[in-house]
Amino acid sequence: MAAPFFATPFQPYVYQSPQDAMIPFQILGGEAQVLQIMLKPQEKVIAKPGSMCYMSGSVQMENVYLPENELGMWQWLFGKSATSIVLLNSGSSDGFVGIAAPSLARILPIDLAMFGGEMLCQPDAFLCSVNDVKVSNTVDQRARNVIHGAEGFLRQKLTGQGLAFIVAGGSVVQKNLEVGEELAVDVSCIVALTSTVNVQVKYNGPVRRVVFGSDNVVTATLKGPGIVFIQSLPFHRLSQRIARAVASPNMRENPKFFIQIALFFFLAYVVIVSSLILTECL
């Protein structure tokens, strides 16, 4: 049985590759999930560095450098990892590996054979893969789609006929777009989509919202046909809310903070005006 688009927590699945190889896996937990993959002798998993959580004694881990044609200048320039880890079952009996999500995220199994052998993902969405999966980086050459930050135009491209696992924050929604059907989505909420989906990125509101920052400033209009996976809580949005929660109590505990700031600007204004008046008198 081929792997479904999603795997619910605690429910085991069996992935059948095009070469009729059977690979059982299980996604554990509701948040910050762990992926457990069973490996037969000489089977291997390619994973993101730092994602290994546990493994059986027969599994060997090795860091390998990505081929030069898969690395690219953009990945190095924006601080992306240049290595992957290979988890190989070198024993004579079955083994297992546990791959952990890097944050409070859900793990999604993507059978590339069901998506025409190609999928575009957000940067750092890839977690691990089994069998024939190639991970590369692609840059959107259209100027209108180049937005602030690497997250806007550096995308991961998964190709092949194997099974890939990607991560998404919060709840995940899958939308199947028909021919000509359009869907507007916040750019940061797009986890992955098929290459048949046309993407148009635009800024919302006046320029001052873009300059001073705001939520939902950049949206993407997706036009079918194709499939898109949407996450409700991107990691950068979660980190921003944590930062605000850490900083906010300091202001609440000091109610005089805003009064002090207002007084400071008032005094500065008085000093500047006074200096101008004295200069004109002289």
Side-chain angles (χ1 to χ4, degrees), residues 103-106 108 122-123 125 151 167-174 185-192 228-237:
S103 61
L104 296 175
R106 295 185 180 275
L108 313 179
Q122 270 195 348
E151 297 289 327
V167 293
S171 300
V172 182
V173 178
Q174 174 187 329
V185 186
D186 185 277
V187 168
S188 61
C189 292
I190 301 175
V191 180
V228 57
F229 298 95
I230 304 171
Q231 61 183 349
S232 64
L233 187 59
F235 177 75
H236 82 91
R237 186 179 298 174

Side-chain angles (χ1 to χ4, degrees), residues 89-107:
N89 182 14
S90 57
S92 58
S93 59
D94 292 350
F96 58 86
V97 295
I99 307 296
S103 61
L104 296 175
R106 295 185 180 275
I107 300 175

Side-chain angles (χ1 to χ4, degrees), residues 74-276:
W74 288 108
Q75 184 172 352
W76 173 82
L77 183 62
F78 289 103
K80 305 299 179 181
S81 176
T83 63
S84 292
I85 59 173
V86 176
L87 302 167
L88 173 67
N89 182 14
S90 57
S92 58
S93 59
D94 292 350
F96 58 86
V97 295
I99 307 296
S103 61
L104 296 175
R106 295 185 180 275
I107 300 175
L108 313 179
I110 304 293
D111 187 353
L112 292 177
M114 300 176 63
F115 296 96
E118 184 174 299
M119 179 73 69
L120 296 176
C121 304
Q122 270 195 348
D124 296 327
F126 173 78
L127 181 63
C128 65
S129 64
V130 180
N131 292 333
D132 177 28
V133 175
K134 179 181 178 181
V135 182
S136 58
N137 291 284
T138 178
V139 178
D140 197 334
Q141 300 295 336
R142 294 171 294 183
R144 62 179 177 272
N145 284 352
V146 178
I147 61 176
H148 176 69
E151 297 289 327
F153 61 93
L154 179 60
R155 298 179 296 181
Q156 284 186 333
K157 184 177 182 181
L158 310 181
T159 56
Q161 298 296 314
L163 180 65
F165 295 89
I166 62 177
V167 293
S171 300
V172 182
V173 178
Q174 174 187 329
K175 291 291 186 181
N176 301 325
L177 302 180
E178 302 296 335
V179 177
E181 182 180 357
E182 293 188 357
L183 179 67
V185 186
D186 185 277
V187 168
S188 61
C189 292
I190 301 175
V191 180
L193 48 78
T194 55
S195 57
T196 57
V197 177
N198 184 43
V199 182
Q200 299 290 333
V201 178
K202 66 177 182 179
Y203 288 103
N204 298 319
V207 178
R208 63 178 179 272
R209 291 187 59 193
V210 178
V211 175
F212 294 103
S214 180
D215 294 332
N216 303 118
V217 171
V218 185
T219 60
T221 300
L222 310 179
K223 187 175 182 180
I227 298 175
V228 57
F229 298 95
I230 304 171
Q231 61 183 349
S232 64
L233 187 59
F235 177 75
H236 82 91
R237 186 179 298 174
L238 174 63
S239 61
Q240 289 176 356
R241 292 178 180 176
I242 293 175
R244 292 172 186 171
V246 172
S248 296
N250 296 330
M251 295 184 181
R252 289 197 295 264
E253 293 170 2
N254 184 14
K256 298 180 181 180
F257 176 80
F258 295 102
I259 298 177
Q260 294 170 350
I261 292 295
L263 183 60
F264 171 81
F265 282 106
F266 175 77
L267 293 176
Y269 173 79
V270 171
V271 171
I272 294 174
V273 172
S274 300
S275 63
L276 292 176

Side-chain angles (χ1 to χ4, degrees), residues 13 28 33 45 60 77 81 153 184 265:
Y13 287 96
L28 307 174
Q33 295 180 328
V45 173
Q60 302 294 324
L77 183 62
S81 176
F153 61 93
F265 282 106

